[in-house]
Amino acid sequence: MFWAQLFRHLILGTLVLQGLSLPPLIRLLKIKEDLSQEEEERLARLQANEAAMARITELAKSRRFDDRVVGRVRSEYEDRILQLTANEEGKARLSLFTPEYEELSKEGLGEERRTILDLRNKRVINDQVLRRIQRDIDLSEVRLRQSDGEMGV
């Protein structure tokens, strides 16, 4: 019994000591986070969005699309490009959305979810329609979560 308690205290002490000493050790050694992969992703996203914008412009000239549709799609790409070029200086982490945009979008998506559940509960829509709309909401939430800190959008 004595040895088991001693062993537990030894393990606990070792883990606590290491856990508490690691952050100061990292600061002391001036270890920097490797952002090369993040920068590589930012550049790839920027190039892809610029190419998409050029293609949209080309298609809008060659075929007749509703100006409102073209404007909306162009606006989304312009916003992405603006966010990606704003991160060029390396001051900000890769994020395609501002915190305000993310907060408002999350609130809006939450309200959408509550509304469609209410509509289903009132039998205005059926389960199949509910699931299709929920899937779209889920995808939008995943995109926001990924921009929050994970890579990819």
Side-chain angles (χ1 to χ4, degrees), residues 4-143:
Q5 284 182 342
L6 180 63
F7 189 64
R8 275 187 245 152
H9 289 308
L10 182 63
I11 290 173
L12 182 62
T14 303
L15 291 174
V16 169
L17 179 65
Q18 287 177 349
L20 293 176
S21 64
L22 191 56
L25 180 62
I26 289 172
R27 282 192 296 276
L28 179 70
L29 294 175
K30 298 180 181 173
I31 296 174
K32 299 287 184 198
E33 185 178 357
D34 181 13
L35 300 176
S36 60
Q37 220 175 24
E38 203 167 282
E39 178 63 9
E40 184 178 320
E41 180 180 347
R42 185 193 66 76
L43 290 172
R45 285 181 185 279
L46 179 60
Q47 188 173 354
N49 279 272
E50 288 172 339
M53 179 72 104
R55 178 69 176 144
I56 290 163
T57 301
E58 176 185 313
L59 285 172
K61 289 177 184 175
S62 67
R63 289 198 272 173
R64 184 69 195 137
F65 288 98
D66 186 323
D67 290 339
R68 293 175 298 183
V69 174
V70 172
R72 181 175 173 201
V73 174
R74 285 182 59 89
S75 177
E76 288 178 17
Y77 277 105
E78 287 169 353
D79 286 346
R80 289 182 198 157
I81 291 168
L82 181 63
Q83 287 294 322
L84 290 164
T85 54
N87 288 335
E88 275 181 345
E89 298 161 15
K91 294 179 182 174
R93 282 214 174 280
L94 180 63
S95 176
L96 298 182
F97 307 119
T98 63
E100 294 85 5
Y101 178 91
E102 290 177 14
E103 181 181 351
L104 282 173
S105 293
K106 287 175 186 176
E107 289 294 326
L109 291 169
E111 190 60 32
E112 280 187 59
R113 189 176 299 282
R114 287 186 290 276
T115 301
I116 63 167
L117 285 171
D118 186 51
L119 290 171
R120 192 272 323 262
N121 291 342
K122 291 178 180 176
R123 300 185 189 279
V124 174
I125 62 173
N126 64 32
D127 285 341
Q128 187 176 3
V129 171
L130 172 75
R131 283 191 295 276
R132 282 199 315 254
I133 297 171
Q134 279 180 325
R135 180 182 177 276
D136 291 342
I137 294 170
D138 291 344
L139 291 172
S140 295
E141 287 176 338
V142 166
R143 190 174 67 223

